[in-house]
Amino acid sequence: MNVWLDTHKGRWILKDVRGSVLETYPPPLQAAIELGLRLKDRARYPHGYIATEAAKQLYTVLKANEDARNVPMLPDLPPNLYDHQKISASFLDPHPNACLFLEMGLGKTRIVIEYLKILRRTAPKLRTLVFAPLSVLSTWEREARKWTEIFSPDWMTVAIASGTREAKQNNIQLGRDITVTNYETLLTNFDDLLCERFDILVFDESTHIKNEKSERSKRAYLLAQQPYVKRRIGMTGTPLVKDLQDIFGQFKVISPETFGTKRKNFLNEFFVLDPYGNVLEYRSLQNLTRKIYSVAIQYVKSEALDLPEKIYEERYVFLSTDQQDAYDELVRTTMLNLDDGTTLTTTNILAEYVKLTQITSGFVLDKDGTPHRFSHNPKIAALKELLQEANGNGKAIIFVNFKEEVAILSENRDLQEYQPVFIHGEISTADRERAIDQFQNNPDCRLLIGNLAATAFGLTLTAATNVIYFSNSWRLELRLQSEDRAHRIGQRFPVTIVDILAIQTIDETILESLREKAQLASRVTRSEWEKTTRGQKIGNIPLDTIAP
């Protein structure tokens, strides 16, 4: 079908050859930006239409996701569900193997719980096994209690299988309606999982199984292939963490019939490869998208919820003299190694990157792993200024990437007036819950300092209207997830997101890398980071990447 593109009052209008409107999509060029398409060599036709391959691809992707939403609505869904939640729950019914690609904060957990309630009305003995990041385990228990009434037909018992191998085994064998455990249980208690014969498998944050070569993913695939497994559900707001190949590993476990089980066949069908197997370009983005949406449904917050905006800012600092000397010396040493012909592996290069990031954050580690802090840390001064500016304008979350950063901030006397709480990988689940409760409900507790890996997933921190990145991770998934701890259902105010960056350092490189990964992810999933108020910020794909 020929598809034509027109513009009218700042909106894209997709038309057929007769001029009938097929789709209207605001604002100008936004759709092309989201898809990462470049409008090159545009040919103008009569009546102001523009015929482009970009328009055809755009229509294909929009139509595929729209078709996925055209499903019969399930009866008896709670009236207080949002429309996107009702449609997503209904989408699961005719798709025994399905993925919910819903942006963070759109209530994926509740969608699955409501669907399980409906299934159990005709099959009350159904058992569900949920794999989730460690920080999200208690979320499932809280949500099940919140949305199911005790002693009612919908009531579901929940067991959390965490801790030691023996503790996990005991909780797995309790026979509860929902068993929630972390992905590492696939390695420690795989035989116990096989013995319990779960009917439904749920993979919360399914990117944890994206690497099909890992032992974890191999066992997830074996478990999903058991004949007693009736349904498989994947959930994530960031299906593409690194590149388009991330899709294959997830679908191999959740919906192997979509792309098959051989990565080589998948790559040959959708990618052009060089002799070494590296991806040069995409062979058929439209067909790949069609297949994804045959078993997946996607929503982004901008279309599903009337949430307040995100406002992005950057604060720049100069390294102190000592920091700059250490930084330059590390760069010089690395370059000398290259000049001497020393072979640097990917692991070695990444280790150097980590050291550079630690320097910009205010410390170095010696050979024994003992941290040594610089006497002056400009990021601390910038952080204090930000908190003073935000004082009276809501609470703040500070995200850090290293354990030592948590220690640095926890020992800073000036931050104590905000009565901060801390979340990191070494605190217990009970202490984590207490910290969340304090931050959400105690007006005197105005600051939460969290390690990215421990805080990015599954937590609701809508008491915050300010999110500050003292340092960043290279992982797009952690960035996207962490931003939306505050920007999600329940947030009533704009959320200001600030990056503290050391000028002309690895900080800026990481931020640019995150932008590029976000741009790639948007090609297939049609999601784009929230627009910024000005300039080329995180989440803003510059218009100058699109040819006039």
Side-chain angles (χ1 to χ4, degrees):
M1 174 175 58
N2 288 321
V3 182
W4 308 87
L5 178 66
D6 194 8
T7 57
H8 177 66
K9 293 184 178 179
R11 304 173 79 89
W12 268 24
I13 303 174
L14 294 170
K15 301 179 178 181
D16 61 19
V17 290
R18 298 177 181 176
S20 301
V21 174
L22 299 173
E23 192 84 45
T24 303
Y25 202 75
L29 298 182
Q30 177 178 330
I33 294 170
E34 290 180 339
L35 291 168
L37 302 173
R38 296 170 182 265
L39 302 184
K40 294 180 178 179
D41 301 322
R42 303 190 300 188
R44 291 193 174 274
Y45 284 78
H47 311 297
Y49 297 145
I50 307 170
T52 67
E53 276 302 310
K56 295 179 181 180
Q57 293 186 39
L58 167 64
Y59 181 75
T60 298
V61 174
L62 292 176
K63 190 69 167 63
N65 190 35
E66 197 62 37
D67 288 344
R69 301 176 184 181
N70 292 329
V71 292
M73 294 295 288
L74 285 170
D76 302 325
L77 285 169
N80 62 351
L81 285 179
Y82 290 95
D83 287 344
H84 75 272
Q85 292 177 317
K86 294 177 182 177
I87 294 171
S88 297
S90 300
F91 177 83
L92 293 175
D93 201 46
H95 298 90
N97 303 325
C99 291
L100 301 179
F101 291 160
L102 273 66
E103 210 170 27
M104 294 71 69
L106 290 182
K108 295 184 289 292
T109 304
R110 188 185 178 189
I111 289 169
V112 174
I113 287 173
E114 295 297 345
Y115 182 60
L116 293 179
K117 285 162 58 176
I118 290 175
L119 288 179
R120 286 174 50 80
R121 290 168 191 171
T122 55
K125 294 185 178 181
L126 278 178
R127 292 189 64 197
T128 300
L129 175 63
V130 178
F131 292 102
L134 187 62
S135 62
V136 182
L137 301 187
S138 59
T139 300
W140 278 88
E141 185 176 33
R142 287 199 309 270
E143 290 287 293
R145 287 178 180 174
K146 184 176 182 180
W147 303 114
T148 59
E149 186 177 346
I150 191 168
F151 301 132
S152 73
D154 291 336
W155 173 251
M156 289 182 287
T157 56
V158 180
I160 296 180
S162 62
T164 65
R165 185 187 183 284
E166 291 73 22
K168 288 182 177 182
Q169 182 183 45
N170 292 335
N171 283 301
I172 289 169
Q173 294 174 351
L174 287 176
R176 299 289 170 82
D177 301 321
I178 301 176
T179 300
V180 188
T181 191
N182 63 324
Y183 282 93
E184 296 309 308
T185 306
L186 286 162
L187 304 178
T188 60
N189 296 74
F190 187 63
D191 290 341
D192 298 324
L193 298 176
L194 286 175
C195 290
E196 289 303 300
R197 301 176 67 89
F198 290 97
D199 304 284
I200 301 171
L201 301 181
V202 178
F203 298 93
D204 192 352
E205 298 306 333
S206 57
T207 50
H208 282 70
I209 53 171
K210 66 183 176 65
N211 179 9
E212 86 279 5
K213 294 181 180 180
S214 70
E215 190 62 30
R216 177 167 57 189
S217 294
K218 289 177 182 177
R219 295 192 179 191
Y221 174 74
L222 289 175
L223 183 62
Q225 289 301 303
Q226 298 305 307
Y228 47 79
V229 175
K230 300 179 178 66
R231 288 184 175 273
R232 312 178 194 107
I233 300 172
M235 304 162 52
T236 182
T238 52
L240 305 182
V241 177
K242 184 179 180 182
D243 56 39
L244 293 174
Q245 298 180 56
D246 292 341
I247 286 289
F248 176 75
Q250 298 171 70
F251 274 56
K252 179 179 177 179
V253 175
I254 298 163
S255 180
E257 64 277 7
T258 303
F259 295 118
T261 59
K262 302 294 184 183
R263 172 178 281 270
K264 183 177 180 180
N265 295 341
F266 171 74
L267 292 177
N268 288 335
E269 182 176 357
F270 298 107
F271 303 90
V272 177
L273 308 175
D274 67 14
Y276 303 100
N278 300 312
V279 174
L280 296 176
E281 59 183 277
Y282 307 113
R283 191 185 300 278
S284 180
L285 189 61
Q286 303 99 307
N287 290 337
L288 176 60
T289 303
R290 282 197 199 98
K291 285 202 170 188
I292 290 172
Y293 286 130
S294 69
V295 292
I297 189 169
Q298 188 209 7
Y299 280 97
V300 295
K301 283 188 295 189
S302 58
E303 62 178 334
L305 297 176
D306 187 20
L307 283 176
E309 65 177 332
K310 287 181 183 178
I311 302 170
Y312 289 88
E313 296 182 10
E314 294 166 7
R315 292 293 176 94
Y316 290 94
V317 300
F318 288 99
L319 294 178
S320 68
T321 302
D322 290 344
Q323 281 178 299
Q324 191 67 60
D325 289 344
Y327 192 96
D328 292 343
E329 177 62 22
L330 181 56
V331 172
R332 188 184 68 83
T333 303
T334 304
M335 296 306 296
L336 282 176
N337 288 336
L338 286 173
D339 291 340
D340 292 342
T342 303
T343 301
L344 289 179
T345 65
T346 301
T347 302
N348 290 339
I349 293 172
L350 289 176
E352 299 305 301
Y353 285 166
V354 169
K355 292 176 184 177
L356 290 173
T357 308
Q358 291 169 342
I359 291 172
T360 67
S361 291
F363 70 99
V364 293
L365 300 179
D366 62 23
K367 293 181 179 179
D368 298 325
T370 303
H372 299 275
R373 300 175 188 174
F374 294 98
S375 57
H376 176 56
N377 188 341
K379 283 192 175 182
I380 294 287
L383 176 63
K384 292 177 184 177
E385 290 178 1
L386 282 170
L387 292 176
Q388 289 172 0
E389 293 172 16
N391 194 21
N393 294 313
K395 301 184 179 187
I397 304 169
I398 302 173
F399 284 116
V400 300
N401 208 27
F402 302 104
K403 176 182 175 181
E404 182 62 19
E405 291 172 304
V406 176
I408 290 172
L409 297 179
S410 67
E411 296 169 16
N412 189 282
R413 293 182 180 179
D414 292 335
L415 300 185
Q416 298 307 309
E417 66 174 284
Y418 301 100
Q419 297 190 25
V421 292
F422 303 87
I423 296 179
H424 49 82
E426 296 181 0
I427 68 170
S428 66
T429 301
D431 287 340
R432 182 197 307 271
E433 293 299 313
R434 278 192 288 271
I436 295 169
D437 181 67
Q438 276 285 99
F439 185 70
Q440 286 288 91
N441 300 309
N442 182 352
D444 295 325
C445 175
R446 290 172 286 157
L447 187 61
L448 185 148
I449 299 170
N451 174 273
L452 273 166
T455 316
F457 295 99
L459 305 183
T460 295
L461 302 172
T462 48
T465 55
N466 302 279
V467 177
I468 301 169
Y469 288 88
F470 195 80
S471 61
N472 263 304
S473 165
W474 291 91
R475 291 173 56 190
L476 174 63
E477 182 182 27
L478 286 182
R479 175 66 191 228
L480 291 172
Q481 291 277 359
S482 58
E483 280 191 14
D484 287 328
R485 295 311 96 211
H487 193 256
R488 59 196 298 111
I489 292 174
Q491 181 57 264
R492 297 180 293 117
F493 304 101
V495 176
T496 301
I497 299 170
V498 186
D499 288 275
I500 303 178
L501 306 168
I503 293 174
Q504 295 183 352
T505 68
I506 192 73
D507 290 353
E508 294 179 303
T509 304
I510 294 173
L511 201 60
E512 182 60 32
S513 173
L514 291 170
R515 288 195 188 110
E516 291 173 357
K517 291 175 183 177
Q519 185 172 351
L520 171 63
S522 70
R523 289 189 179 187
V524 171
T525 60
R526 201 174 62 86
S527 66
E528 182 187 1
W529 289 23
E530 298 292 333
K531 296 295 182 292
T532 60
T533 54
R534 59 180 177 80
Q536 298 179 17
K537 307 297 185 194
I538 278 278
N540 184 49
I541 301 172
L543 285 176
D544 60 12
T545 64
I546 299 178

